[in-house]
Amino acid sequence: MALALLGFGGWRVWLVLFPGDEAEIRAMLTELEEAAAFKPSDKPLTHMANAGEFSGFFTDQVEISAKGTGGGIRRIVGKTSLQQAAISAQAMGGGFSVSFKDVLVKLGEEKGTATCRLTALARGAGEPTPWVQILDMEIVELDGDWKVAKVAAVEALERIQ
C-alpha cells in the first residue's frame, strides 16, 4: 500500500514538474484569455504593451477568420495586423474580457502540432450579452512555446424546417 501511494505521489510530482503538451496548451490558452482582456481605464501606453503581450501568443503568419460583433466575418493575417487590431479595439475604450469554454485539445501526429476546438465568450463593457463563437485553432510549438497559427470560426448548424 505504501509503495502504491509513493508511486502515485511521484507520478503527480512528475506531472507538475513536467506537464504534458496538452497541459501546456491549456495553460497557454488561460494566459491568452488574460492577455486579451483590458480595462476602460487603461492608458494609451498600456494599450500598446497589452497588444504586444497579446500578439505574442500567435505566430508571425497567423491567420484569423472569425465573426465580429457586427456579424460579418473578419479576417486578420499576420501578427502585426493582429497587434494593430488589438490597439484599435483598446483605443475605442469600454473594456473587454474573453473566456474559453469547452476546450478540446487534440495533439497532432507530428510532434509540436495540435488543434483545439473551443467556445469563446467575449464581453465588451456595456454590452448586455456576450459574443459567443465556436473556434477551431491550429497550434504549433516554436522554440519551446505553443503559439496559435490559425483561428477559424465554426459555422453553426441551421435548423431545417
Side-chain angles (χ1 to χ4, degrees):
M1 179 71 167
L3 187 57
L5 286 174
L6 184 61
F8 180 74
W11 176 70
R12 297 293 296 163
V13 169
W14 177 266
L15 289 178
V16 169
L17 295 176
F18 304 101
D21 290 339
E22 182 176 345
E24 288 181 4
I25 290 168
R26 288 178 182 279
M28 181 271 295
L29 291 171
T30 300
E31 292 172 10
L32 178 57
E33 289 174 333
E34 294 168 6
F38 61 89
K39 298 176 189 82
S41 60
D42 287 347
K43 305 283 186 243
L45 284 177
T46 305
H47 292 173
M48 290 177 23
N50 290 349
E53 180 184 355
F54 171 72
S55 65
F57 288 91
F58 298 86
T59 64
D60 290 340
Q61 301 303 318
V62 65
E63 294 179 35
I64 299 174
S65 180
K67 286 185 179 178
T69 53
I73 296 290
R74 172 125 192 228
R75 186 164 152 76
I76 299 173
V77 178
K79 187 191 261 188
T80 302
S81 296
L82 177 62
Q83 188 171 4
Q84 290 170 348
I87 291 170
S88 296
Q90 292 180 58
M92 292 189 326
F96 180 79
S97 65
V98 66
S99 62
F100 300 136
K101 306 291 183 193
D102 306 323
V103 178
L104 300 172
V105 177
K106 182 179 178 188
L107 299 176
E109 291 185 17
E110 290 183 37
K111 181 156 176 54
T113 64
T115 57
C116 289
R117 176 165 282 185
L118 53 83
T119 303
L121 277 73
R123 186 181 298 275
E127 293 292 324
T129 57
W131 170 85
V132 179
Q133 178 68 63
I134 298 172
L135 301 173
D136 280 338
M137 293 184 174
E138 292 179 14
I139 300 175
V140 296
E141 189 175 22
L142 298 173
D143 300 325
D145 292 324
W146 289 96
K147 306 276 184 178
V148 178
K150 187 173 185 177
V151 179
V154 175
E155 289 297 321
L157 297 175
E158 294 184 27
R159 174 180 264 171
I160 298 175
Q161 295 187 14

